[in-house]
Amino acid sequence: LQSSSDGILVVGNDGLIRFSNPAAEQLFQRTSEELIGSPFGFPIPVNRTTEIEIMSESGRPTPVEMRVVPIEWDEEPAFLASLRDVTEQRRAEDERRRHEIERQYSQKLESLGVLAGGIAHDFNNLLMTIVARSGLALRALPPDAPARKHLDFIEKAGLRGGELANQMLAFAGQTRLDFQV
């Protein structure tokens, strides 16, 4: 009991501490003399693992996993409380959760990029059809035809839309942006 890395306390039926090991003294930041005879101060759920928080003198709580089993101590019924500091375990769980959230965010961004790329490709295909057809229609019309200015506007709008589609493809990582002066 003395060399256990877990804090060990023996608590009598009256709720007073009868024994503490060095690890328990470290958890409670109190000496054995201060602990023995003092009230335990926590519920004693027998044969169950629960979590309690031990407040340090600085006011910071330490999460502790507690397991209590009934025993006999000095020929009287008592409880053996095994206390394990789970601060590092909680920190590792928080870190794992943070990494999982970052991974999910990364996957969402990747999905968004794939979606944007697919939309941009389809949009670009539609626009190129519009640009090509308006170009063919322009060539078929005489130079003084009143519809020429409308077809010219359609062709220019289609080309601007194609530039937008290329920007979406660049955002999706499916093409390189080619910057020119």
Side-chain angles (χ1 to χ4, degrees):
L1 293 177
Q2 292 293 355
S3 62
S4 173
S5 60
D6 290 347
I8 305 288
L9 294 176
V10 174
V11 181
N13 271 343
D14 57 2
L16 299 178
I17 298 172
R18 304 274 193 260
F19 169 85
S20 69
N21 74 345
E25 295 168 24
Q26 189 175 356
L27 273 174
F28 284 95
Q29 297 178 346
R30 295 171 64 195
T31 65
S32 180
E33 292 78 23
E34 292 172 318
L35 285 172
I36 294 175
S38 68
F40 179 54
F42 294 98
I44 302 176
V46 179
N47 294 324
R48 271 195 10 235
T49 302
T50 58
E51 190 170 306
I52 61 172
E53 286 186 343
I54 297 174
M55 297 301 278
S56 66
E57 289 180 8
S58 65
R60 282 193 19 225
T62 301
V64 174
E65 194 175 84
M66 178 175 71
R67 176 92 177 153
V68 179
V69 293
I71 62 166
E72 268 193 34
W73 185 265
D74 288 336
E75 298 180 16
E76 291 182 14
F79 302 98
L80 180 82
S82 176
L83 307 165
R84 177 171 292 165
D85 183 346
V86 290
T87 303
E88 288 304 314
Q89 183 180 340
R90 295 295 177 262
R91 192 173 291 135
E93 287 172 1
D94 289 345
E95 186 70 13
R96 184 193 55 75
R97 266 190 236 102
R98 188 180 64 77
H99 284 299
E100 179 64 21
I101 289 169
E102 287 175 359
R103 185 185 64 76
Q104 288 174 353
Y105 181 72
S106 176
Q107 285 177 336
K108 284 180 184 177
L109 282 179
E110 184 180 348
S111 296
L112 182 60
V114 169
L115 177 65
I119 291 171
H121 273 296
D122 290 346
F123 187 60
N124 204 25
N125 291 340
L126 291 171
L127 289 172
M128 290 307 107
T129 301
I130 292 169
V131 168
R133 295 292 178 143
S134 61
L136 289 172
L138 276 170
R139 277 189 239 145
L141 287 177
D144 60 340
R148 275 189 88 70
K149 68 178 183 180
H150 297 296
L151 287 170
D152 191 41
F153 182 80
I154 291 170
E155 184 180 43
K156 286 179 183 170
L159 290 171
R160 281 195 311 270
E163 291 169 6
L164 177 63
N166 283 334
Q167 289 176 6
M168 287 175 65
L169 286 169
F171 166 77
Q174 296 183 12
T175 186
R176 283 187 331 114
L177 281 176
D178 187 19
F179 293 101
Q180 296 178 356
V181 177

